[in-house]
Amino acid sequence: MVDASYVRLLYRRILCEGVQFFDDRARTYIVNRTRNAFRGYKQCTDETRIKNKCREARKQLHRLERANRGDLRSGLKVLEFAYGRRGKTRHRLLRPYVHTHLPADLPVPEPLVPHVPHTAPPPPLCPPLAAIIRHTLGKKLEPDLPKPEFKPLHPGRQANLLWRWRSDLLARVQLPLPLQIIRELEQKAGAPSNDTSTTGGGPLWDELYGDQTTHVDIMHLCPTTKLVPLSKVQRHPQPLPSSSSVYDTASMIRFVDPSFDPSLDIHARRRRLNKRNKKRLYKRLLKEIPFLTPIPSASNLWDSSIKYSVGYSKWIPGSVVNVLQ
């Protein structure tokens, strides 16, 4: 049985660590997701599911603790979750390209077997998404289907291979962020505030994501949302009690070393990231964000006459910055 006091303490610990993270939009993402997740499972009575969610929450808490102590790898992972390089925010960024803003005259593929709907191949992709897949993944939009030697490929098998290829592409592709957020990241990476030489980027927020301003997974990327301020209070959180599981890591370490105390590192001095390390993290993040030229909008998202080119920010590592014209 999971103790309610343990869950409340875990909830407070995540919020305390989240409001001390250095990035403003990542702080807002952490607070929104934490509140939504704990409220969503407030009435849950499934013991196994509660334990699994507590295990996931502890994992995220330890990552936040490492990031706040100056660990660059953990800090980059938090930024990737917040800015849609992985996790549920990435799925919300992909949604307008696949599910919404579909034209009324979009052709629907006919099933390969008549009157069998599940044998229909996947629908076509919009031109900007297709351009990103070709450039960033280096993959074709359609797979090379096998050719059996003695009999034709079964239509159901063909449809499964096409859908599996499409699912793999959508699971790996990275989407551009809204244009306003891209400009913010470039300034955080070292670009001057009056820099107008950058061309391309992502769509405007109101064009593709205006209907998702209140969605918990992506609302922190809205340019006009209210961001969670940085907490300057140096808290000394109470260590989490030991788990009752026999597979708990702390329990196994105590079996070897009875003097082990996991709470000693809780009050360790935090090494704040300096400006140089923060810029380095933002540059690594920009390296994973593709830029589109021209910038897509809801009106021309499915216009096949527009040829999109894919690039990256000039403020990423290894790129050339023109100092003199």
Side-chain angles (χ1 to χ4, degrees), residues 31-47:
V31 172
N32 292 342
R33 289 280 302 153
T34 302
R35 290 175 177 173
N36 182 75
F38 277 83
R39 288 173 182 174
Y41 287 92
K42 187 176 182 179
Q43 305 297 333
C44 182
T45 57
D46 188 354
E47 190 71 19

Side-chain angles (χ1 to χ4, degrees), residues 106-112 120-124:
L106 182 67
V108 179
E110 295 292 335
L112 300 179

Side-chain angles (χ1 to χ4, degrees), residues 93 176-183 201-205 209 218 221 223:
L93 290 174
L177 289 172
L179 185 62
Q180 300 92 328
I181 307 302
I182 287 178
R183 297 297 178 258
L204 295 175
W205 173 268
Y209 304 103
I218 200 175
L221 295 181

Side-chain angles (χ1 to χ4, degrees), residues 250-304:
S251 301
M252 290 188 289
I253 296 178
R254 288 195 195 95
F255 181 76
V256 179
D257 184 9
S259 62
F260 172 74
D261 187 3
S263 63
L264 293 179
D265 191 50
I266 294 295
H267 304 287
R269 183 177 65 87
R270 300 195 174 196
R271 181 171 60 89
R272 293 289 184 180
L273 294 176
N274 52 31
K275 292 183 178 180
R276 180 181 180 183
N277 287 332
K278 292 178 183 179
K279 290 183 179 180
R280 185 177 300 174
L281 288 180
Y282 287 122
K283 289 181 179 180
R284 291 182 183 178
L285 183 64
L286 283 171
K287 196 175 182 180
E288 304 177 9
I289 302 175
F291 282 21
L292 284 173
T293 306
I295 295 176
S297 63
S299 59
N300 62 11
L301 191 62
W302 289 88
D303 189 354
S304 58

